Amino acid sequence: MNYMEVKYNNISNGPGVRTSLFVSGCSHHCEGCFNFDAWNRNSGQPYTQEVQDKILKSFDNSHIDGLTLLGGEPMMDYNVETLIDLCKAIRESYPNKTIWVYSGWTYEELIVKPKQLELLQLCDVLVDGKWVTSLYSPKLNFRGSSNQRIIDLKETFRTGTVVLDKHHNEI
C-alpha cells in the first residue's frame, strides 16, 4: 500500500484531535475531488512498519482522540488488508481511541465484500458516499456533500440497520 500523507494533530477529519492517514489509490474519480493527486495507487510513498509504528506512537499523546482513514480510497482492495492490520493494532493497544473511515462507496456496497466488512467492524464511524459537487455545503460537519452519511458503525452492527451518528450528522 502507498500513502500520500499522515497528518498528526488533525482537527478536520473527525471529532477532536486526530491522526489522519491519507492512502493512495481511488477509482471513484469524483468531479471536484480535493485530493485527486491520490487517485493513482502508486502515488505517494510506500507504507512501512516504520510509518505504522509512528502512527501508533502518536496515540501515546492523551490529546489524540483517534485515527481517521481517508484518501484516495481506503476501501480499495489493495489498501484494505494493511488497514485491517493497523486497526487491529490500535484496538489492541489503544482500545479507547476511535477510528473513522471515509469511503466513496456506501455502507451497503461495502458490507457485501468480506475484507471491507472486516475493516468496518474494526471502525467506529463510516462517512460514506461519493463527493458530489452540486450537493456541497460548508455547513456540513465532517463531510463535503449532503448525500454523504456519518454512520455509527457499532450501533449499525448491533441493530442490523444503518444508524446515523447522532452527534455529527446535524448541520
Side-chain angles (χ1 to χ4, degrees):
M1 179 181 93
N2 276 16
Y3 74 102
M4 296 299 291
E5 180 178 16
V6 178
K7 288 187 177 182
Y8 299 96
N9 299 303
N10 186 278
I11 59 170
S12 300
N13 301 301
V17 182
R18 312 185 67 75
T19 297
S20 296
L21 172 61
F22 291 79
V23 302
S24 297
C26 184
S27 62
H28 301 301
H29 298 181
C30 299
E31 183 181 336
C33 174
F34 80 96
N35 205 7
F36 60 87
D37 289 341
W39 290 355
N40 183 329
R41 72 180 281 183
N42 297 313
S43 295
Q45 51 201 323
Y47 183 86
T48 63
Q49 186 62 49
E50 183 180 344
V51 173
Q52 179 159 311
D53 291 346
K54 191 173 178 186
I55 290 170
L56 292 172
K57 181 88 173 125
S58 75
F59 298 123
D60 287 345
N61 297 306
S62 61
H63 72 277
I64 299 295
D65 294 294
L67 174 73
T68 299
L69 304 171
L70 59 169
E73 172 58 71
M75 294 296 182
M76 297 299 295
D77 289 336
Y78 47 80
N79 290 332
V80 171
E81 199 69 51
T82 302
L83 296 176
I84 288 171
D85 291 342
L86 171 60
C87 290
K88 283 181 178 178
I90 292 168
R91 288 291 175 229
E92 184 177 308
S93 298
Y94 304 95
N96 296 324
K97 304 292 184 177
T98 61
I99 303 173
W100 280 45
V101 60
Y102 283 73
S103 179
W105 284 296
T106 65
Y107 170 82
E108 293 80 7
E109 292 169 319
L110 292 169
I111 61 169
V112 298
K113 298 178 177 183
K115 286 296 178 183
Q116 284 77 359
L117 175 60
E118 184 179 353
L119 179 55
L120 288 177
Q121 290 171 329
L122 292 165
C123 296
D124 298 288
V125 171
L126 168 67
V127 181
D128 78 341
K130 292 181 181 179
W131 156 264
V132 179
T133 303
S134 64
L135 299 177
Y136 166 73
S137 172
K139 296 179 181 179
L140 297 171
N141 288 322
F142 304 122
R143 61 196 192 280
S145 55
S146 62
N147 61 299
Q148 295 172 313
R149 302 176 293 180
I150 302 175
I151 298 172
D152 180 330
L153 289 170
K154 302 297 181 199
E155 282 301 301
T156 295
F157 289 127
R158 189 183 69 73
T159 63
T161 186
V162 172
V163 176
L164 298 181
D165 182 284
K166 62 185 173 210
H167 302 291
H168 303 104
N169 272 291
E170 67 278 352
I171 294 180

